[in-house]
Amino acid sequence: MAETFEVRQARTSDVPAIQELLEPWVARRILLGKERVTLYETVQEFVVAQAGDRLVGCGALHVMWEDLGEIRTLIVADDWLHRGVGGGVVDRLEGNARALGLSRLFCLTFEVPFFSRRGFETIGEQVVDPDVYSQLLRSPDEGVAEFLDLAHVKPNTLGNTRMLKQL
């Protein structure tokens, strides 16, 4: 096994491996499943961690509003946990967020200590002003619904912590 990894933008050829990384977490009910077509449609949001010819991690940055993005689908292969992969992916996603002009990053996570070490703080319910909230309500994206803490997604978010970082 390679001992080093690199983090890079995902390519369409990475989608099957991203889905393979995702499946065990979906089976454990930690992450929601994504259809392959959805992964292709959003591949530009993803970065991947590659060790040799194997993908060992991934994560995505989803823009939610003018200044706000979400880190989502952050996954590290079990045999690569605690080796810096997750931090490397988050660092790259934060760089992408800054390049896009975002000033805040949201995540919905079970991994509170991991994100706390990276400057994320637990948040309450209302983190956008009422006008932005009303605009975000129009989004069909489930992640936006989770961010807004809407009732219809609460069964998917039980036990998760809502966190935010100022960039």
Side-chain angles (χ1 to χ4, degrees), residues 17-47:
I18 291 170
Q19 192 168 40
E20 191 174 307
L21 281 170
L22 181 59
E23 286 171 358
W25 298 96
V26 172
R28 292 182 219 159
R29 297 178 183 246
I30 293 172
L31 294 175
L32 293 175
K34 295 187 187 305
E35 297 294 335
R36 189 166 289 196
V37 66
T38 302
L39 292 172
Y40 280 117
E41 289 173 342
T42 59
V43 72
Q44 70 278 3
E45 297 181 359
F46 278 85
V47 299

Short mmCIF file of all heavy atoms in Angstrom, two decimals, residues 17-47:
data_model
loop_
_atom_site.label_atom_id
_atom_site.label_comp_id
_atom_site.label_asym_id
_atom_site.label_seq_id
_atom_site.Cartn_x
_atom_site.Cartn_y
_atom_site.Cartn_z
N ALA A 17 -15.44 4.95 -8.37
CA ALA A 17 -14.69 4.78 -7.12
C ALA A 17 -15.27 5.62 -5.99
O ALA A 17 -15.28 5.20 -4.83
CB ALA A 17 -13.22 5.11 -7.34
N ILE A 18 -15.78 6.82 -6.30
CA ILE A 18 -16.45 7.65 -5.29
C ILE A 18 -17.67 6.90 -4.78
O ILE A 18 -17.92 6.82 -3.56
CB ILE A 18 -16.83 9.03 -5.86
CG1 ILE A 18 -15.57 9.86 -6.13
CG2 ILE A 18 -17.78 9.76 -4.92
CD1 ILE A 18 -15.81 11.14 -6.90
N GLN A 19 -18.44 6.32 -5.69
CA GLN A 19 -19.62 5.58 -5.27
C GLN A 19 -19.24 4.37 -4.42
O GLN A 19 -19.90 4.05 -3.44
CB GLN A 19 -20.45 5.15 -6.49
CG GLN A 19 -21.83 4.64 -6.10
CD GLN A 19 -22.73 4.50 -7.30
OE1 GLN A 19 -22.31 4.08 -8.36
NE2 GLN A 19 -23.99 4.87 -7.12
N GLU A 20 -18.15 3.72 -4.77
CA GLU A 20 -17.67 2.57 -3.98
C GLU A 20 -17.26 3.02 -2.57
O GLU A 20 -17.52 2.31 -1.60
CB GLU A 20 -16.49 1.94 -4.71
CG GLU A 20 -16.06 0.61 -4.13
CD GLU A 20 -14.97 -0.03 -4.99
OE1 GLU A 20 -15.16 -0.15 -6.21
OE2 GLU A 20 -13.93 -0.38 -4.41
N LEU A 21 -16.62 4.19 -2.45
CA LEU A 21 -16.28 4.72 -1.13
C LEU A 21 -17.53 5.03 -0.32
O LEU A 21 -17.56 4.84 0.90
CB LEU A 21 -15.46 6.01 -1.26
CG LEU A 21 -13.98 5.90 -1.57
CD1 LEU A 21 -13.42 7.29 -1.90
CD2 LEU A 21 -13.22 5.29 -0.41
N LEU A 22 -18.56 5.51 -0.99
CA LEU A 22 -19.79 5.93 -0.34
C LEU A 22 -20.62 4.75 0.19
O LEU A 22 -21.23 4.85 1.26
CB LEU A 22 -20.62 6.76 -1.34
CG LEU A 22 -21.95 7.34 -0.89
CD1 LEU A 22 -21.79 8.26 0.29
CD2 LEU A 22 -22.59 8.09 -2.07
N GLU A 23 -20.65 3.66 -0.54
CA GLU A 23 -21.57 2.55 -0.22
C GLU A 23 -21.49 2.03 1.21
O GLU A 23 -22.53 1.84 1.84
CB GLU A 23 -21.41 1.43 -1.23
CG GLU A 23 -22.03 1.78 -2.57
CD GLU A 23 -21.72 0.80 -3.69
OE1 GLU A 23 -20.99 -0.18 -3.46
OE2 GLU A 23 -22.23 1.03 -4.80
N PRO A 24 -20.31 1.78 1.79
CA PRO A 24 -20.30 1.28 3.18
C PRO A 24 -20.90 2.28 4.18
O PRO A 24 -21.51 1.87 5.16
CB PRO A 24 -18.81 1.06 3.48
CG PRO A 24 -18.12 1.06 2.18
CD PRO A 24 -18.96 1.84 1.22
N TRP A 25 -20.73 3.57 3.92
CA TRP A 25 -21.27 4.59 4.82
C TRP A 25 -22.78 4.70 4.68
O TRP A 25 -23.47 5.00 5.66
CB TRP A 25 -20.58 5.93 4.56
CG TRP A 25 -19.12 5.84 4.83
CD1 TRP A 25 -18.12 5.60 3.93
CD2 TRP A 25 -18.49 5.88 6.11
NE1 TRP A 25 -16.92 5.53 4.56
CE2 TRP A 25 -17.11 5.71 5.90
CE3 TRP A 25 -18.96 6.08 7.41
CZ2 TRP A 25 -16.20 5.72 6.95
CZ3 TRP A 25 -18.04 6.09 8.45
CH2 TRP A 25 -16.68 5.91 8.22
N VAL A 26 -23.28 4.44 3.49
CA VAL A 26 -24.73 4.40 3.27
C VAL A 26 -25.30 3.18 4.00
O VAL A 26 -26.32 3.28 4.69
CB VAL A 26 -25.07 4.36 1.77
CG1 VAL A 26 -26.56 4.11 1.55
CG2 VAL A 26 -24.63 5.65 1.09
N ALA A 27 -24.62 2.03 3.88
CA ALA A 27 -25.08 0.81 4.55
C ALA A 27 -25.13 1.00 6.06
O ALA A 27 -26.01 0.44 6.73
CB ALA A 27 -24.18 -0.36 4.18
N ARG A 28 -24.21 1.80 6.62
CA ARG A 28 -24.19 2.07 8.06
C ARG A 28 -25.15 3.19 8.45
O ARG A 28 -25.19 3.59 9.61
CB ARG A 28 -22.77 2.46 8.50
CG ARG A 28 -21.78 1.33 8.40
CD ARG A 28 -20.42 1.80 8.90
NE ARG A 28 -19.40 1.21 8.04
CZ ARG A 28 -18.17 1.66 7.89
NH1 ARG A 28 -17.78 2.74 8.53
NH2 ARG A 28 -17.32 1.06 7.09
N ARG A 29 -25.84 3.75 7.47
CA ARG A 29 -26.80 4.84 7.67
C ARG A 29 -26.15 6.11 8.23
O ARG A 29 -26.75 6.86 8.99
CB ARG A 29 -27.97 4.41 8.55
CG ARG A 29 -28.78 3.31 7.92
CD ARG A 29 -29.90 2.86 8.83
NE ARG A 29 -30.60 1.77 8.24
CZ ARG A 29 -31.85 1.81 7.83
NH1 ARG A 29 -32.54 2.91 7.96
NH2 ARG A 29 -32.42 0.77 7.30
N ILE A 30 -24.90 6.31 7.83
CA ILE A 30 -24.19 7.52 8.25
C ILE A 30 -24.31 8.60 7.17
O ILE A 30 -24.43 9.77 7.47
CB ILE A 30 -22.72 7.20 8.57
CG1 ILE A 30 -22.69 6.30 9.82
CG2 ILE A 30 -21.89 8.46 8.77
CD1 ILE A 30 -21.34 5.75 10.17
N LEU A 31 -24.28 8.18 5.90
CA LEU A 31 -24.46 9.10 4.78
C LEU A 31 -25.63 8.64 3.93
O LEU A 31 -25.92 7.45 3.88
CB LEU A 31 -23.18 9.16 3.92
CG LEU A 31 -21.94 9.76 4.56
CD1 LEU A 31 -20.74 9.62 3.62
CD2 LEU A 31 -22.15 11.22 4.91
N LEU A 32 -26.25 9.60 3.28
CA LEU A 32 -27.32 9.27 2.34
C LEU A 32 -26.71 8.78 1.03
O LEU A 32 -25.69 9.30 0.59
CB LEU A 32 -28.19 10.49 2.06
CG LEU A 32 -29.02 11.01 3.23
CD1 LEU A 32 -29.74 12.29 2.83
CD2 LEU A 32 -30.01 9.96 3.69
N GLY A 33 -27.36 7.81 0.42
CA GLY A 33 -26.90 7.30 -0.86
C GLY A 33 -27.11 8.32 -1.97
O GLY A 33 -27.96 9.19 -1.86
N LYS A 34 -26.31 8.20 -2.99
CA LYS A 34 -26.45 9.07 -4.16
C LYS A 34 -26.45 8.18 -5.40
O LYS A 34 -25.63 7.28 -5.52
CB LYS A 34 -25.29 10.05 -4.25
CG LYS A 34 -25.24 11.04 -3.10
CD LYS A 34 -24.15 12.08 -3.35
CE LYS A 34 -23.92 13.00 -2.19
NZ LYS A 34 -25.06 13.70 -1.70
N GLU A 35 -27.37 8.45 -6.28
CA GLU A 35 -27.40 7.74 -7.55
C GLU A 35 -26.16 8.12 -8.35
O GLU A 35 -25.64 9.23 -8.24
CB GLU A 35 -28.66 8.12 -8.34
CG GLU A 35 -29.95 7.74 -7.66
CD GLU A 35 -30.15 6.24 -7.56
OE1 GLU A 35 -29.58 5.50 -8.39
OE2 GLU A 35 -30.89 5.82 -6.66
N ARG A 36 -25.70 7.20 -9.18
CA ARG A 36 -24.51 7.47 -9.99
C ARG A 36 -24.71 8.71 -10.86
O ARG A 36 -23.80 9.52 -11.02
CB ARG A 36 -24.15 6.26 -10.84
CG ARG A 36 -22.79 6.45 -11.51
CD ARG A 36 -22.23 5.20 -12.09
NE ARG A 36 -21.80 4.31 -11.01
CZ ARG A 36 -21.01 3.27 -11.19
NH1 ARG A 36 -20.56 2.97 -12.39
NH2 ARG A 36 -20.66 2.51 -10.18
N VAL A 37 -25.90 8.89 -11.40
CA VAL A 37 -26.16 10.07 -12.23
C VAL A 37 -25.95 11.35 -11.43
O VAL A 37 -25.41 12.33 -11.94
CB VAL A 37 -27.56 10.02 -12.89
CG1 VAL A 37 -28.68 10.10 -11.84
CG2 VAL A 37 -27.70 11.12 -13.93
N THR A 38 -26.32 11.35 -10.16
CA THR A 38 -26.13 12.53 -9.32
C THR A 38 -24.66 12.80 -9.10
O THR A 38 -24.21 13.95 -9.11
CB THR A 38 -26.86 12.34 -7.97
OG1 THR A 38 -28.24 12.10 -8.23
CG2 THR A 38 -26.71 13.56 -7.07
N LEU A 39 -23.88 11.73 -8.92
CA LEU A 39 -22.44 11.91 -8.75
C LEU A 39 -21.81 12.49 -10.02
O LEU A 39 -20.94 13.37 -9.94
CB LEU A 39 -21.77 10.58 -8.36
CG LEU A 39 -22.14 10.07 -6.98
CD1 LEU A 39 -21.58 8.67 -6.77
CD2 LEU A 39 -21.66 11.02 -5.89
N TYR A 40 -22.24 12.03 -11.19
CA TYR A 40 -21.72 12.62 -12.43
C TYR A 40 -22.13 14.08 -12.56
O TYR A 40 -21.33 14.93 -12.96
CB TYR A 40 -22.20 11.83 -13.65
CG TYR A 40 -21.40 10.58 -13.91
CD1 TYR A 40 -22.00 9.33 -13.85
CD2 TYR A 40 -20.04 10.64 -14.22
CE1 TYR A 40 -21.27 8.17 -14.08
CE2 TYR A 40 -19.30 9.49 -14.45
CZ TYR A 40 -19.92 8.26 -14.38
OH TYR A 40 -19.19 7.13 -14.61
N GLU A 41 -23.38 14.39 -12.20
CA GLU A 41 -23.87 15.77 -12.31
C GLU A 41 -23.13 16.72 -11.38
O GLU A 41 -23.06 17.92 -11.67
CB GLU A 41 -25.36 15.83 -11.99
CG GLU A 41 -26.23 15.20 -13.05
CD GLU A 41 -27.70 15.11 -12.65
OE1 GLU A 41 -28.02 15.20 -11.44
OE2 GLU A 41 -28.52 14.93 -13.56
N THR A 42 -22.58 16.21 -10.29
CA THR A 42 -21.92 17.06 -9.31
C THR A 42 -20.42 16.79 -9.20
O THR A 42 -19.78 17.25 -8.25
CB THR A 42 -22.58 16.89 -7.93
OG1 THR A 42 -22.48 15.52 -7.53
CG2 THR A 42 -24.02 17.34 -7.95
N VAL A 43 -19.85 16.06 -10.14
CA VAL A 43 -18.43 15.68 -10.04
C VAL A 43 -17.52 16.90 -9.89
O VAL A 43 -16.48 16.83 -9.23
CB VAL A 43 -18.00 14.77 -11.21
CG1 VAL A 43 -17.90 15.54 -12.52
CG2 VAL A 43 -16.69 14.05 -10.89
N GLN A 44 -17.90 18.03 -10.46
CA GLN A 44 -17.06 19.23 -10.36
C GLN A 44 -17.00 19.76 -8.93
O GLN A 44 -16.11 20.54 -8.60
CB GLN A 44 -17.55 20.32 -11.33
CG GLN A 44 -18.87 20.94 -10.97
CD GLN A 44 -20.09 20.14 -11.42
OE1 GLN A 44 -19.97 19.06 -11.97
NE2 GLN A 44 -21.27 20.67 -11.16
N GLU A 45 -17.89 19.34 -8.05
CA GLU A 45 -17.87 19.75 -6.65
C GLU A 45 -16.87 18.93 -5.84
O GLU A 45 -16.50 19.32 -4.74
CB GLU A 45 -19.26 19.60 -6.01
CG GLU A 45 -20.32 20.48 -6.63
CD GLU A 45 -21.68 20.32 -5.94
OE1 GLU A 45 -21.80 19.52 -4.99
OE2 GLU A 45 -22.62 21.01 -6.36
N PHE A 46 -16.46 17.77 -6.36
CA PHE A 46 -15.66 16.81 -5.60
C PHE A 46 -14.17 17.01 -5.76
O PHE A 46 -13.68 17.36 -6.82
CB PHE A 46 -15.99 15.37 -6.04
CG PHE A 46 -17.22 14.80 -5.40
CD1 PHE A 46 -18.47 15.05 -5.94
CD2 PHE A 46 -17.12 14.01 -4.26
CE1 PHE A 46 -19.61 14.53 -5.35
CE2 PHE A 46 -18.26 13.49 -3.67
CZ PHE A 46 -19.51 13.75 -4.21
N VAL A 47 -13.46 16.71 -4.67
CA VAL A 47 -12.02 16.46 -4.72
C VAL A 47 -11.84 15.03 -4.23
O VAL A 47 -12.69 14.49 -3.50
CB VAL A 47 -11.20 17.46 -3.88
CG1 VAL A 47 -11.40 18.88 -4.38
CG2 VAL A 47 -11.50 17.35 -2.41
#
